[in-house]
Amino acid sequence: MEKKLKSWQGWLLFGGSMVVVFVLGLCVSALMERRAEVASIFNNRKNVIKGIEARNELFKDDFPREYQTWTETAKTDFESEFNGNIAVDALEKRPEMVILWAGYAFSKDYSTPRGHMHAIEDITASLRTGAPVNPTDGPQPSTCWTCKSPDVPRMMEALGVDSFYNNKWGAMGAEIVNPIGCSDCHDPEIMNLHISRPALIEAFQRQGKDITKATPQEMRSLVCAQCHVEYFFKGDGKYLTFPWDKGFTVEDMEAYYDEAGFYDYIHKLSRTPILKAQHPDYEIAQMGIHGQRGVSCADCHMPYKSEGGVKFSDHHIQSPLAMIDRTCQVCHRESEETLRNNVYERQRKANEIRNRLEQELAKAHIEAKFAWDNGATEAQMKDVLALIRQAQWRWDFGVASHGGSFHAPQEIQRILSHGLDRAMQARLAVSKVLAKNGYTGDVPMPDISTKAKAQEYIGLDMDAERAAKEKFLKITVPAWLEKAKENGRLAQI
C-alpha cells in the first residue's frame, strides 16, 4: 500500500510539474506574441512622434483600440447610487457646502467630475475660473491647468516649470486646448508609462525615493497619482506641491501645513484659516486593502479587454461599477448584485457621518460669525478657529476623494468621525465665548435650504457671475480655439 501511495505521489508530482511547465510555456508564448505585436506596431507606425505631442488624435492610427476606448470617456451615461460620469450640481444637493466654502471660489460652482475628454471644457465653463478678458486678468493662476491637458508638459518644457506656474490662468487659454490624453501617461515616442508632471517626482525626491525605480505595476498607479492627489500652490509663484513630506495621512498633511502656517483662504463668516483639500485619491487608496495588496488604479479603472484576439487596457477610465464583470469579478466570485451592494454599503455608512458633519460644521461657521458680531476677541476665538480648521480639513479630505469611502472605508469613517467630534467641540467652544460676552440664547440660523439661498446669505452676486462667464464663453474661448488652430495646437483630423 505504501509503495502504491508513493507511486501515485510521484505521478502527481510529475503531472503537476508538467502542468506548470505547460502553463509557463503558454505565458512565455503569449508574452513573445505580445512583444512581437508591439514591435510590429512600432516598426510600422504611421505617425512617428518625437518629443511631447499633445494632440491625442495623432495616436489614433497606431493605437486604434486604446484611442477608441479613450474617446468613450466623453460618455455621460452611467450613474451609481452616489457617483457616475454625469455632472451633478453638488451645491444644489448639499447647500451646506456653500457655507463651508464661503469666501472661496468653490462656493460659486462645484459639480461632480465627468470623464477625461471633458477636462478642458469643464474647467473653462466653471464659474471658479472666472471670466478673464486678458492674459493678466482673472482669479486663478495658470497652475490650475496642470492636470487638465497634455499641453501642460509641452508648455512647461517651452517656458520652464517656474514660469509656467507663475502666470494667470487666462494667459494659457490658447495653448492648453487638448483634453487629458495619451502623452499625460505615455512617453509619446516609445509609449512606456512615464511621469509627465514634476510635482510627483519632486515629492518623491523630498522623501528620498527614486521614482525611476518604480515597478511597472506601481507605474499603473503613479501615472494617476500625478493628478489624483492632495496638493497646494506654494508661495507667490503658485508652485504646485504635494504635502507628503511628513506622510500620507490626514494628520501628517495637517502637521505639514500647520508648520508652514499655510491656509488656502480665510473663511468669510468664521474668519478661520481654512485648508481646502483637493482630491487625495492616491493617498487614500494606499491606505485600503486593495492598495495594500498591490492592486493598481488601472486594474480596476482600466481593466484589460480582448478584441480579435488582442488584449489591451480599456482606456475608458470610469467607475469599476460600470463593468463589474471585468473589474471586481476578476478576483471576487460573488454576483454583480452582491459586489455592487458591498460598495454601496460602505458608501452609505460613510455618508451618514458626512451628512452630520456638514450640518454641524455649517452651524459652527455661522455661530462663529455671530460671536464676532457680538464682540468676541481674537484671544477668545483662537481655540474655536483651530477646531473649525481641523474639522473642515477632515471633512474635505474625507469627501473630496470621490471613491475614498470604498478605497479605504475604515480610514474614511475614522477621518469623518474625528471631524464631527471637532465640529461639535467648536460649537461648544463658541457657546462659551458667547456666554462670556453676555449671550446665552440660541444663535439664529439663516435659511440655507437651497444653493441659491446659501449663496445669497454669504453675499455672492450669482447673476453677475453667470453673466460674466456667459460673455467669456461666447467671446474669449472661441478666440482661444481659433488661435490654437492657427498655431497647429489642435489636430486637423
Side-chain angles (χ1 to χ4, degrees):
M1 185 68 181
E2 187 176 343
K3 288 182 179 180
K4 286 183 179 179
L5 182 60
K6 287 181 178 180
S7 176
W8 275 108
Q9 288 175 337
W11 278 106
L12 284 172
L13 285 172
F14 176 75
S17 300
M18 291 305 294
V19 169
V20 170
V21 169
F22 178 71
V23 171
L24 286 175
L26 288 176
C27 292
V28 170
S29 177
L31 180 60
M32 295 301 291
E33 287 179 10
R34 180 59 178 159
R35 285 183 174 177
E37 180 188 349
V38 171
S40 175
I41 291 173
F42 280 94
N43 289 334
N44 299 284
R45 282 185 72 167
K46 297 171 184 175
N47 291 310
V48 177
I49 295 173
K50 296 292 183 184
I52 298 172
E53 179 51 71
R55 295 169 296 179
N56 299 305
E57 292 85 351
L58 297 186
F59 295 85
K60 176 181 179 180
D61 291 338
D62 293 309
F63 306 97
R65 297 175 182 86
E66 290 82 357
Y67 180 85
Q68 173 56 37
T69 53
W70 167 78
T71 64
E72 292 174 9
T73 62
K75 291 181 177 180
T76 54
D77 58 357
F78 174 74
E79 185 174 10
S80 66
E81 185 171 327
F82 291 94
N83 285 304
N85 55 23
I86 303 166
V88 176
D89 188 338
L91 300 182
E92 193 67 63
K93 285 182 170 289
R94 296 174 171 276
E96 288 90 357
M97 292 168 71
V98 174
I99 304 301
L100 303 186
W101 287 326
Y104 202 56
F106 275 75
S107 63
K108 302 175 185 178
D109 179 22
Y110 179 59
S111 295
T112 54
R114 297 192 292 171
H116 282 171
M117 279 198 75
H118 295 286
I120 298 296
E121 177 187 353
D122 287 351
I123 190 175
T124 303
S126 174
L127 294 176
R128 300 200 301 271
T129 51
V133 297
N134 59 59
T136 60
D137 187 30
Q140 305 297 353
S142 59
T143 319
C144 289
W145 286 114
T146 302
C147 290
K148 304 301 182 184
S149 168
D151 283 303
V152 169
R154 177 180 65 79
M155 291 303 294
M156 285 181 168
E157 184 179 76
L159 300 176
V161 178
D162 286 358
S163 297
F164 173 83
Y165 293 142
N166 196 13
N167 269 290
K168 283 290 189 178
W169 179 78
M172 301 289 175
E175 292 288 349
I176 301 176
V177 290
N178 295 283
I180 299 166
C182 310
S183 293
D184 286 310
C185 302
H186 294 276
D187 181 320
E189 295 185 25
I190 60 175
M191 298 307 288
N192 284 347
L193 291 176
H194 77 149
I195 305 302
S196 58
R197 304 304 196 273
L200 180 62
I201 299 170
E202 293 160 355
F204 269 63
Q205 288 174 338
R206 292 196 305 275
Q207 293 178 311
K209 298 176 182 177
D210 184 354
I211 204 168
T212 64
K213 292 183 168 58
T215 67
Q217 179 69 353
E218 289 170 337
M219 287 296 291
R220 284 162 54 83
S221 290
L222 289 175
V223 291
C224 307
Q226 297 180 93
C227 297
H228 290 264
V229 291
E230 161 61 10
Y231 60 83
F232 73 108
F233 299 168
K234 188 174 184 177
D236 294 337
K238 305 299 181 184
Y239 198 98
L240 187 70
T241 305
F242 297 174
W244 293 353
D245 296 35
K246 295 179 180 294
F248 275 6
T249 69
V250 67
E251 291 86 2
D252 291 336
M253 296 189 204
E254 182 179 56
Y256 174 94
Y257 286 134
D258 286 348
E259 187 176 289
F262 177 80
Y263 57 87
D264 284 283
Y265 67 104
I266 298 296
H267 198 275
K268 188 173 183 178
L269 303 179
S270 67
R271 306 185 196 176
T272 304
I274 294 290
L275 294 172
K276 171 69 188 77
Q278 306 308 324
H279 26 62
D281 307 317
Y282 175 75
E283 298 96 316
I284 291 173
Q286 301 309 300
M287 301 176 199
I289 193 65
H290 289 89
Q292 292 168 7
R293 295 293 183 268
V295 177
S296 74
C297 303
D299 287 326
C300 299
H301 294 277
M302 299 177 64
Y304 287 115
K305 193 173 186 178
S306 293
E307 185 178 288
V310 176
K311 182 180 178 182
F312 64 100
S313 288
D314 188 344
H315 280 58
H316 182 189
I317 302 167
Q318 60 177 328
S319 167
L321 294 181
M323 42 188 172
I324 290 176
D325 60 321
R326 292 191 289 118
T327 55
C328 312
Q329 287 184 326
V330 171
C331 297
H332 304 285
R333 299 309 177 194
E334 291 78 13
S335 69
E336 284 197 20
E337 182 182 8
T338 297
L339 292 166
R340 185 179 295 107
N341 285 333
N342 288 161
V343 176
Y344 288 164
E345 180 184 13
R346 288 157 175 76
Q347 292 176 328
R348 289 168 189 150
K349 289 179 178 178
N351 211 44
E352 286 182 29
I353 309 174
R354 173 188 181 171
N355 292 339
R356 290 284 296 116
L357 174 51
E358 285 178 3
Q359 293 162 5
E360 296 301 323
L361 191 49
K363 290 175 183 176
H365 282 296
I366 293 167
E367 289 168 345
K369 179 184 184 303
F370 190 83
W372 286 116
D373 293 345
N374 283 270
T377 66
E378 290 188 12
Q380 289 176 328
M381 294 295 286
K382 181 180 179 182
D383 290 343
V384 173
L385 301 191
L387 286 165
I388 292 177
R389 173 181 166 94
Q390 292 167 11
Q392 182 140 337
W393 170 238
R394 283 157 181 76
W395 163 74
D396 216 343
F397 196 96
V399 306
S401 173
H402 298 284
S405 55
F406 171 74
H407 288 153
Q410 297 96 329
E411 179 66 5
I412 291 299
Q413 291 190 55
R414 183 188 75 85
I415 290 169
L416 292 176
S417 61
H418 284 199
L420 179 58
D421 171 62
R422 283 164 173 77
M424 298 291 283
Q425 288 187 52
R427 293 192 65 196
L428 179 60
V430 171
S431 69
K432 292 179 179 179
V433 171
L434 287 169
K436 288 179 181 178
N437 287 277
Y439 187 89
T440 56
D442 292 334
V443 173
M445 287 289 154
D447 181 0
I448 57 168
S449 58
T450 67
K451 178 180 78 168
K453 290 177 180 179
Q455 288 174 331
E456 183 180 4
Y457 170 68
I458 66 173
L460 287 175
D461 185 347
M462 295 308 299
D463 288 338
E465 293 282 346
R466 284 188 285 266
K469 178 60 78 169
E470 185 178 354
K471 183 178 179 181
F472 166 77
L473 292 173
K474 284 183 177 179
I475 298 173
T476 305
V477 174
W480 283 354
L481 292 175
E482 189 59 37
K483 186 176 180 181
K485 290 176 183 176
E486 291 173 1
N487 294 335
R489 302 306 185 199
L490 287 167
Q492 303 296 317
I493 296 178

